[in-house]
Amino acid sequence: MLLLQEVQMLQALHRSLAKSIPESLKVYGSIFHINKGNPFNLEVLVDSWPEYQTVITRPQKKKMTDDMDHYTNTYHIFTKTPESLPEILESNNVINWDQILNIQGCQQGLDETIKSIAASKPVQIDYSKRFLYATEATLQLKSSNTRMFGRSHEETIQNTGKCRSKVGNLKPALLDISHSELVNNNWKFGKNEKSLRYIKSCIQNFPGYCLLDSEGNPITWSVMEATCELRMACTLPGYRGKGMLGEMMKAYMQYLHQNEIPFYLHVEDTNKNSHKAVRRLGFRAMPCEWHQWKSIPIRFQQLPKF
């Protein structure tokens, strides 16, 4: 695999990946943020250039120092040739199979391949599949030659005030680092120190959003990850059933559109209320779905889960 670092090459790759949306969304979103300053210190690997078949984004090795931090140790894959993956992924030079890690992608055909690769290694694979949702604006990137998205981080911050209108007595606002513990304590996959560290990094580097009550405390929120995916959406118990999350998401989506930031999300199969809510907001379910493989080396399997 080749490490792609030149700015013009990364921009060309980003434009090329747009043609494969929604299957390429995890990698496309990662490279979007890499091209805007790379705050998460990710790197991009391709099997060849300029005629590539497989793209992988991952943290730089200096960031993957904790073998148990699967929040950080996450790889995103897009491939035009799934049959070539075994040769690529079997090597520890591409995937560090000695760590607890996540592999994410939006392609139906990756499951059998990744599981077959893992079968030859001393690891256990936990597989998750969810509905992938995207808006028409994101899907239009596939055929658009215009610059729909792409402002710098500095331009985004300067435009923060454009979505400040109140929702009743609640005010839309960006999340800040002081909200990290609240988000972590209410995240199904959080509630530990590693997830708190991850959430802090997301909030510091990408625009998360919330509604604030009259005392300035978040009552509903969503966080953007390094792949432009919206995650961790939650409403505090006392405010549920009142449409607050939907109102927050309307303001959030408006903010992201105004600042030219692509976005998408996923929903668990059984979460019927969330499926209805995101469809009301204009999201469409994608046929390729959202996929994650969590790899746990056998040497870690007797340790407490997190």
Side-chain angles (χ1 to χ4, degrees):
M1 296 290 281
L2 306 173
L3 182 62
L4 214 62
Q5 295 178 297
E6 293 291 332
V7 172
Q8 288 150 338
M9 292 180 180
L10 289 171
Q11 291 173 344
L13 176 60
H14 195 237
R15 290 191 296 270
S16 175
L17 287 167
K19 300 173 184 177
S20 299
I21 288 174
E23 289 85 357
S24 65
L25 272 174
K26 295 299 290 188
V27 173
Y28 177 89
S30 299
I31 297 175
F32 173 86
H33 283 307
I34 290 171
N35 286 338
K36 301 304 167 188
N38 199 14
F40 248 51
N41 296 299
L42 301 179
E43 58 188 19
V44 181
L45 301 175
V46 293
D47 60 337
S48 59
W49 186 259
E51 298 299 323
Y52 68 91
Q53 298 299 315
T54 297
V55 186
I56 297 174
T57 62
R58 67 182 185 188
Q60 297 169 7
K61 288 188 177 181
K62 66 181 180 181
K63 301 297 293 183
M64 293 192 288
T65 56
D66 185 344
D67 287 346
M68 297 179 66
D69 184 4
H70 64 89
Y71 303 96
T72 298
N73 306 334
T74 297
Y75 301 74
H76 306 103
I77 293 180
F78 170 73
T79 184
K80 301 174 185 177
T81 54
E83 64 275 10
S84 69
L85 283 183
E87 182 179 353
I88 292 171
L89 299 187
E90 283 175 356
S91 169
N92 269 30
N93 291 328
V94 177
I95 304 284
N96 186 354
W97 293 101
D98 295 327
Q99 296 182 320
I100 300 178
L101 58 89
N102 290 322
I103 299 173
Q104 295 179 349
C106 300
Q107 293 177 274
Q108 295 274 22
L110 296 183
D111 185 38
E112 183 177 341
T113 301
I114 290 176
K115 286 180 178 176
S116 67
I117 296 167
S120 65
K121 300 182 178 295
V123 301
Q124 172 188 313
I125 293 289
D126 293 338
Y127 171 59
S128 302
K129 181 176 71 172
R130 312 281 167 76
F131 279 82
L132 174 69
Y133 280 94
T135 63
E136 187 60 34
T138 297
L139 295 176
Q140 285 177 1
L141 291 167
K142 186 170 184 174
S143 57
S144 174
N145 292 319
T146 61
R147 196 189 86 154
M148 294 182 63
F149 299 109
R151 292 187 181 180
S152 69
H153 179 67
E154 290 75 14
E155 289 176 307
T156 300
I157 296 301
Q158 290 170 6
N159 283 306
T160 300
K162 289 189 176 181
C163 290
R164 290 295 190 182
S165 58
K166 290 192 174 183
V167 179
N169 63 340
L170 304 172
K171 184 171 73 170
L174 290 176
L175 288 168
D176 66 47
I177 197 69
S178 68
H179 304 140
S180 300
E181 286 196 20
L182 178 65
V183 174
N184 185 47
N185 292 338
N186 287 277
W187 186 28
K188 177 180 178 180
F189 303 104
K191 304 179 178 68
N192 62 76
E193 287 301 314
K194 298 181 194 302
S195 61
L196 177 60
R197 183 169 64 234
Y198 176 72
I199 289 166
K200 285 181 177 179
S201 294
C202 288
I203 291 176
Q204 284 178 319
N205 292 296
F206 312 118
Y209 217 75
C210 65
L211 292 183
L212 302 175
D213 64 16
S214 58
E215 297 180 355
N217 300 312
I219 60 94
T220 184
W221 59 82
S222 181
V223 174
M224 175 169 279
E225 293 188 322
T227 64
C228 291
E229 182 173 359
L230 307 185
R231 303 256 338 245
M232 309 175 207
C234 181
T235 302
L236 293 178
Y239 293 88
R240 292 174 186 169
K242 302 178 181 179
M244 291 295 98
L245 182 60
E247 292 301 320
M248 182 277 296
M249 285 298 296
K250 288 178 186 176
Y252 193 10
M253 292 166 66
Q254 181 185 358
Y255 171 84
L256 294 171
H257 280 302
Q258 288 178 338
N259 288 285
E260 300 180 338
I261 302 172
F263 58 91
Y264 56 96
L265 49 81
H266 75 260
V267 177
E268 293 183 20
D269 295 14
T270 58
N271 195 338
K272 295 181 180 179
N273 288 336
S274 291
H275 285 288
K276 292 177 182 177
V278 298
R279 285 172 178 148
R280 283 196 297 267
L281 289 166
F283 285 91
R284 288 169 44 190
M286 301 292 103
C288 57
E289 301 181 302
W290 180 99
H291 306 267
Q292 176 174 278
W293 298 264
K294 183 177 181 181
S295 174
I296 307 171
I298 292 173
R299 65 190 177 99
F300 289 125
Q301 290 179 17
Q302 301 304 317
L303 298 175
K305 292 185 178 181
F306 51 88

